[in-house]
Amino acid sequence: MSDACEREQRSENCASPKSASGTSTSMTLASTALESQTTTTTTAHNTAVGQQQPMASGSATVPASAAGRPQQQQQQLRLNDSDMRELCEIKQLLWGDSVREDVFTRWSQGFEFSDVEPSALVQKQGGPCAVIAPVQAYLLKRIIMDRPGIQLIDVSVLELLYCERVCHLNFHLSLPFLVQLPREECESLLIRALCNILKNCRAHRYKIVTLQRRAATKERRLTPPSVISTTNTSSITTNPAAAAATSDDATVEAAIEAEEEAAAATATGIDASATNAAATDDDGTTLVTRLQLNLMLTPDEFHDRLHTVHFDHITDVARFYMQNYSQLSHTYGVLLFMYSVFLTKGTEQVNADISDTSEPLIHSTYGYGAQSLINLMLTGRAVAHVWDNEQDVGGLKLRGICEQSDIGFITLMEQMRYCTVGSFFKNPRFPVWVMASDTHLTVLFSNEKRLVSPETPSETGRRVFKSYDPEGNNFISSTLLRDVLATLHLVSEPGYVSLMQKRLDPENLGIILLNAFMDEFYPLERRSTPDTFELMHYNGIPGSNDNNKVRYYCGSAILLEGDLKSICTSNPMVTCLQTKWPNIEINWHDAHMPSLN
């Protein structure tokens, strides 16, 4: 596990600047670290879905030489046409022939952190968990990598829990895990998580989708702008362009103009989500007014305003997001990042992964994401299944997960026999799993690295045996013994197999029990997984959390002896956990049972 962390840190060192210490913010240090590297050529491409736009010039475009400029401009134009075509195809893949406005509205949100858990993302409505949960999982992976010694719960909290149970004292605990992380560091972790997901696409160029500036006359305000006045000018940037605003309408218009000017200064083509205005009173006091412009676009308006920016290196993507963080936090941050992943992967490759594109990846009625969308965010491949490698179903080769993933996946649907999750997903490189119910995605994680340590020979034997026991009966037909032995690279000669069949099935019942198999071939079984460990759970929907505040919940897990498991149909959380650890029991701290929905 430690080797995997070290390799990951070396491969992403340039795109993963260290956290700040003292009074310096991690975002500043991250920017400094990235700026210190050799500046690479970045080409900006502006693409509008629905109509072709002329190429926009800006500081992001750096020609290689004056003599080669005409050839480069032709290449940019050709790439621009390609992006426009692919964005149209992505729209069709995601939404189908038409985009339902209510579903689109539920997906229209930025990456926003919880007030009480700085590193926990908030999901405002049902639907975008197909993007938000994987992003949260990769964010937690970054924390586990960068803070290997972090504790889920400290001794003082355990003492309080002991008093609550033994002395019947009543405590309402807010776990201290990660609450010390400053907001700036969490934003930096988010950017690194997004870059990690983009790197998984294994593309030679990163194509980031942005939103073009345009006059706000076609936009519909969901709520009136809220005007907040303050005399603290140290943390809010003033904008004199809107200083003359006196009435509500004039203030809104001035703020829109200021938004346009601020965006034009950066030449990135991104809508700002908040604009500041300043006015000076007679006594010289500076009045700072921040206007929260909650503006909403129709689906057609949104897609007409899509533009792209291309980068050759992931470090440039990280720098772009750090300099334009509103790209992630404004109303369409989640959608724009999802489009960026699809465009970076390429529609041709996505179509090849999906195979069947007859159904949209976002459900037209309920708005939830398909398994192909979830797999693309987790692994960089948009395959539709969660088993290992390929399976032959009725003569069709159906592709699943082809290698061990950084982030795992377990689902309640497996217990219901709707699917089979393979070992690559159940045993990821890092102790972080996305958990799926029938309606929602959440995240399970731990700092216990032994949960994902390499398999021991006995664990490999157990896993292979169970792969021939899809019903979970803990026995196989005796005729399958030769296949099991061959898969495990054990002796599989016919004479030896016949002898073992008689030894393992002395009553000639035609079955071989798992325990008998393990006792024969792995008599000194040792488990790499610890018997007890801490687990944490995240659910991004406020209504599924205590007091409607998104935070992490901690539980103490224990693995019981034997292979028998209890079926807890009334406890979906335990039922889902048992698809990974069949004999697990868990006690959640603070008397709160986390929800999968």
Side-chain angles (χ1 to χ4, degrees):
M1 178 60 205
S2 60
D3 293 339
C5 289
E6 291 176 1
R7 290 195 299 270
E8 185 75 12
Q9 287 172 324
R10 285 197 298 268
S11 65
E12 298 184 10
N13 184 45
C14 57
S16 304
K18 294 297 182 181
S19 302
S21 61
T23 58
S24 301
T25 65
S26 59
M27 290 290 287
T28 302
L29 287 181
S31 300
T32 303
L34 289 173
E35 291 294 342
S36 65
Q37 301 178 13
T38 304
T39 305
T40 56
T41 301
T42 304
T43 306
H45 305 273
N46 292 318
T47 305
V49 178
Q51 63 178 7
Q52 181 176 344
Q53 300 287 344
M55 291 300 297
S57 61
S59 59
T61 302
V62 182
S65 65
R69 187 173 296 142
Q71 181 179 1
Q72 185 188 35
Q73 289 176 349
Q74 292 176 0
Q75 184 182 12
Q76 290 174 359
L77 183 60
R78 186 160 60 248
L79 286 170
N80 183 64
D81 293 340
S82 174
D83 284 355
M84 180 179 64
R85 173 182 54 80
E86 285 201 74
L87 283 171
C88 290
E89 294 174 357
I90 291 171
K91 177 184 176 183
Q92 178 70 28
L93 274 172
L94 289 171
W95 307 100
D97 296 330
S98 61
V99 185
R100 279 190 49 166
E101 194 159 340
D102 60 330
V103 175
F104 180 81
T105 300
R106 283 153 53 188
W107 274 79
S108 299
Q109 75 157 86
F111 290 103
E112 176 183 326
F113 288 104
S114 169
D115 295 334
V116 298
E117 198 79 62
S119 61
L121 295 170
V122 175
Q123 179 182 335
K124 297 182 179 179
Q125 298 188 62
C129 59
V131 174
I132 293 176
V135 170
Q136 179 70 56
Y138 272 98
L139 190 154
L140 291 166
K141 171 208 162 184
R142 299 302 318 182
I143 293 175
I144 292 172
M145 284 180 56
D146 297 343
R147 294 168 170 255
I150 195 166
Q151 297 296 320
L152 296 185
I153 184 170
D154 62 17
V155 176
S156 61
V157 174
L158 290 175
E159 290 175 350
L160 288 176
L161 291 171
Y162 177 82
C163 291
E164 180 180 9
R165 293 175 182 174
V166 178
C167 304
H168 306 289
L169 299 178
N170 188 14
F171 294 100
H172 183 76
L173 300 176
S174 178
L175 297 182
F177 178 53
L178 301 181
V179 295
Q180 299 88 354
L181 286 177
R183 180 53 55 92
E184 293 82 3
E185 183 174 352
C186 293
E187 291 174 356
S188 179
L189 288 167
L190 171 63
I191 291 172
R192 288 147 66 185
L194 300 181
C195 289
N196 201 156
I197 293 174
L198 288 168
K199 280 188 65 177
N200 288 343
C201 295
R202 296 175 173 87
H204 69 280
R205 174 168 289 185
Y206 302 97
K207 302 177 182 180
I208 306 304
V209 181
T210 67
L211 208 59
Q212 178 193 12
R213 298 188 309 275
R214 187 171 296 179
T217 54
K218 293 184 179 181
E219 298 176 350
R220 298 166 299 147
R221 294 186 183 86
L222 294 180
T223 57
S226 59
V227 180
I228 305 174
S229 298
T230 178
T231 57
N232 183 5
T233 61
S234 60
S235 61
I236 303 179
T237 303
T238 61
N239 189 343
T246 56
S247 64
D248 287 346
D249 292 338
T251 301
V252 171
E253 294 303 322
I256 292 173
E257 292 177 7
E259 178 188 23
E260 295 293 321
E261 292 177 5
T266 60
T268 58
I270 302 173
D271 286 339
S273 62
T275 306
N276 301 321
T280 303
D281 294 339
D282 294 337
D283 59 359
T285 303
T286 301
L287 178 64
V288 181
T289 306
R290 170 166 292 188
L291 302 175
Q292 302 292 343
L293 300 179
N294 193 1
L295 304 174
M296 192 68 183
L297 300 173
T298 66
D300 289 341
E301 289 170 345
F302 170 81
H303 288 96
D304 284 343
R305 296 173 60 173
L306 294 184
H307 280 221
T308 63
V309 186
H310 290 198
F311 300 99
D312 293 327
H313 302 283
I314 198 65
T315 54
D316 298 320
V317 178
R319 183 184 297 110
F320 172 81
Y321 277 140
M322 284 187 288
Q323 294 174 348
N324 304 277
Y325 187 75
S326 62
Q327 161 79 0
L328 304 174
S329 60
H330 70 52
T331 308
Y332 301 100
V334 171
L335 281 173
L336 292 178
F337 176 70
M338 177 175 66
Y339 277 60
S340 299
V341 174
F342 274 85
L343 190 62
T344 296
K345 182 67 176 180
T347 54
E348 182 178 353
Q349 185 60 53
V350 170
N351 285 326
D353 287 341
I354 295 176
S355 299
D356 181 12
T357 60
S358 58
E359 295 293 330
L361 297 182
I362 296 177
H363 196 279
S364 58
T365 302
Y366 302 107
Y368 55 76
Q371 190 65 49
S372 293
L373 172 56
I374 300 169
N375 288 349
L376 177 61
M377 293 295 161
L378 290 176
T379 69
R381 298 179 70 242
V383 294
H385 305 285
V386 294
W387 52 58
D388 290 344
N389 301 312
E390 293 183 346
Q391 286 196 13
D392 190 319
V393 180
L396 295 176
K397 292 290 187 181
L398 302 181
R399 289 192 292 173
I401 308 303
C402 65
E403 61 182 355
Q404 187 183 30
S405 173
D406 282 352
I407 305 298
F409 180 84
I410 56 178
T411 174
L412 191 61
M413 298 297 100
E414 182 173 23
Q415 190 274 335
M416 299 177 181
R417 307 293 173 88
Y418 286 123
C419 68
T420 299
V421 181
S423 176
F424 288 145
F425 254 164
K426 284 188 177 178
N427 301 284
R429 296 187 183 96
F430 298 90
V432 185
W433 295 264
V434 169
M435 302 182 71
S437 69
D438 54 343
T439 60
H440 187 43
L441 297 178
T442 58
V443 180
L444 180 80
F445 61 103
S446 174
N447 70 338
E448 178 52 78
K449 297 178 177 59
R450 288 181 295 171
L451 294 178
V452 290
S453 59
E455 286 183 324
T456 63
S458 62
E459 288 173 335
T460 302
R462 181 180 296 270
R463 173 176 57 81
V464 171
F465 186 98
K466 285 181 172 290
S467 69
Y468 289 88
D469 176 28
E471 301 297 324
N473 297 319
N474 289 324
F475 64 82
I476 60 172
S477 169
S478 58
T479 58
L480 295 176
L481 179 61
R482 183 177 182 181
D483 295 334
V484 173
L485 295 177
T487 303
L488 290 169
H489 305 291
L490 299 175
V491 178
S492 57
E493 298 297 328
Y496 179 77
V497 172
S498 178
L499 177 64
M500 285 296 101
Q501 286 174 336
K502 293 178 181 179
R503 183 167 181 171
L504 297 176
D505 182 22
E507 298 180 4
N508 199 26
L509 298 176
I511 62 173
I512 295 176
L513 299 177
L514 171 61
N515 286 341
F517 177 85
M518 296 300 297
D519 290 341
E520 177 65 32
F521 293 98
Y522 303 97
L524 302 177
E525 178 180 8
R526 290 187 303 170
R527 211 165 44 186
S528 61
T529 303
D531 293 330
T532 60
F533 49 91
E534 302 292 322
L535 288 175
M536 300 283 289
H537 185 259
Y538 154 88
N539 189 328
I541 296 182
S544 299
N545 288 262
D546 196 22
N547 296 324
N548 294 323
K549 296 292 185 180
V550 176
R551 67 177 185 91
Y552 305 130
Y553 296 93
C554 184
S556 297
I558 181 171
L559 299 183
L560 304 177
E561 293 293 332
D563 295 302
L564 298 179
K565 65 178 181 180
S566 59
I567 303 299
C568 303
T569 56
S570 61
N571 191 335
M573 171 63 72
V574 174
T575 301
C576 189
L577 291 176
Q578 286 177 343
T579 64
K580 162 64 178 170
W581 300 283
N583 51 347
I584 192 174
E585 283 192 2
I586 186 167
N587 293 317
W588 295 99
H589 304 161
D590 201 16
H592 179 86
M593 174 67 68
S595 172
L596 290 180
N597 297 311

